[in-house]
mmCIF file of all heavy atoms in Angstrom:
data_model
loop_
_atom_site.group_PDB
_atom_site.id
_atom_site.type_symbol
_atom_site.label_atom_id
_atom_site.label_comp_id
_atom_site.label_asym_id
_atom_site.label_seq_id
_atom_site.Cartn_x
_atom_site.Cartn_y
_atom_site.Cartn_z
ATOM 1 N N LEU A 89 -58.581 58.341 -64.437
ATOM 2 C CA LEU A 89 -59.828 58.184 -65.191
ATOM 3 C C LEU A 89 -60.120 56.711 -65.474
ATOM 4 O O LEU A 89 -61.243 56.227 -65.277
ATOM 5 C CB LEU A 89 -59.749 58.939 -66.516
ATOM 6 C CG LEU A 89 -60.057 60.432 -66.479
ATOM 7 C CD1 LEU A 89 -60.022 61.004 -67.902
ATOM 8 C CD2 LEU A 89 -61.437 60.688 -65.857
ATOM 9 N N GLY A 90 -59.104 55.995 -65.953
ATOM 10 C CA GLY A 90 -59.288 54.579 -66.246
ATOM 11 C C GLY A 90 -59.655 53.788 -64.994
ATOM 12 O O GLY A 90 -60.528 52.909 -65.028
ATOM 13 N N GLN A 91 -58.986 54.116 -63.883
ATOM 14 C CA GLN A 91 -59.247 53.385 -62.642
ATOM 15 C C GLN A 91 -60.683 53.600 -62.163
ATOM 16 O O GLN A 91 -61.358 52.650 -61.740
ATOM 17 C CB GLN A 91 -58.237 53.813 -61.570
ATOM 18 C CG GLN A 91 -56.829 53.287 -61.856
ATOM 19 C CD GLN A 91 -55.727 54.101 -61.204
ATOM 20 O OE1 GLN A 91 -55.993 55.064 -60.479
ATOM 21 N NE2 GLN A 91 -54.476 53.727 -61.455
ATOM 22 N N MET A 92 -61.172 54.858 -62.240
ATOM 23 C CA MET A 92 -62.551 55.120 -61.809
ATOM 24 C C MET A 92 -63.552 54.439 -62.738
ATOM 25 O O MET A 92 -64.529 53.828 -62.283
ATOM 26 C CB MET A 92 -62.809 56.622 -61.745
ATOM 27 C CG MET A 92 -62.327 57.272 -60.469
ATOM 28 S SD MET A 92 -63.018 56.541 -58.948
ATOM 29 C CE MET A 92 -64.737 57.044 -59.110
ATOM 30 N N ALA A 93 -63.317 54.528 -64.050
ATOM 31 C CA ALA A 93 -64.218 53.872 -65.003
ATOM 32 C C ALA A 93 -64.247 52.366 -64.767
ATOM 33 O O ALA A 93 -65.316 51.730 -64.740
ATOM 34 C CB ALA A 93 -63.775 54.175 -66.438
ATOM 35 N N GLY A 94 -63.068 51.785 -64.563
ATOM 36 C CA GLY A 94 -62.982 50.347 -64.344
ATOM 37 C C GLY A 94 -63.658 49.909 -63.053
ATOM 38 O O GLY A 94 -64.350 48.885 -63.022
ATOM 39 N N ALA A 95 -63.462 50.689 -62.000
ATOM 40 C CA ALA A 95 -64.069 50.324 -60.716
ATOM 41 C C ALA A 95 -65.588 50.305 -60.817
ATOM 42 O O ALA A 95 -66.253 49.425 -60.258
ATOM 43 C CB ALA A 95 -63.607 51.286 -59.625
ATOM 44 N N MET A 96 -66.148 51.286 -61.564
ATOM 45 C CA MET A 96 -67.599 51.334 -61.715
ATOM 46 C C MET A 96 -68.093 50.177 -62.585
ATOM 47 O O MET A 96 -69.106 49.531 -62.284
ATOM 48 C CB MET A 96 -68.010 52.686 -62.272
ATOM 49 C CG MET A 96 -67.703 53.812 -61.280
ATOM 50 S SD MET A 96 -67.970 55.476 -61.935
ATOM 51 C CE MET A 96 -69.765 55.504 -61.994
ATOM 52 N N LEU A 97 -67.360 49.890 -63.663
ATOM 53 C CA LEU A 97 -67.714 48.767 -64.521
ATOM 54 C C LEU A 97 -67.653 47.443 -63.755
ATOM 55 O O LEU A 97 -68.562 46.593 -63.858
ATOM 56 C CB LEU A 97 -66.748 48.729 -65.717
ATOM 57 C CG LEU A 97 -66.878 47.552 -66.687
ATOM 58 C CD1 LEU A 97 -68.267 47.467 -67.272
ATOM 59 C CD2 LEU A 97 -65.835 47.658 -67.797
ATOM 60 N N GLY A 98 -66.619 47.276 -62.973
ATOM 61 C CA GLY A 98 -66.470 46.045 -62.190
ATOM 62 C C GLY A 98 -67.608 45.843 -61.211
ATOM 63 O O GLY A 98 -68.076 44.713 -60.999
ATOM 64 N N ALA A 99 -68.067 46.947 -60.606
ATOM 65 C CA ALA A 99 -69.174 46.843 -59.647
ATOM 66 C C ALA A 99 -70.450 46.381 -60.345
ATOM 67 O O ALA A 99 -71.219 45.576 -59.795
ATOM 68 C CB ALA A 99 -69.385 48.186 -58.957
ATOM 69 N N VAL A 100 -70.674 46.872 -61.564
ATOM 70 C CA VAL A 100 -71.843 46.432 -62.325
ATOM 71 C C VAL A 100 -71.727 44.941 -62.662
ATOM 72 O O VAL A 100 -72.697 44.180 -62.542
ATOM 73 C CB VAL A 100 -72.006 47.274 -63.613
ATOM 74 C CG1 VAL A 100 -73.115 46.707 -64.488
ATOM 75 C CG2 VAL A 100 -72.269 48.724 -63.268
#
Side-chain angles (χ1 to χ4, degrees):
Chain A
L89 277 184
Q91 289 156 2
M92 278 304 292
M96 294 173 72
L97 175 58
V100 173

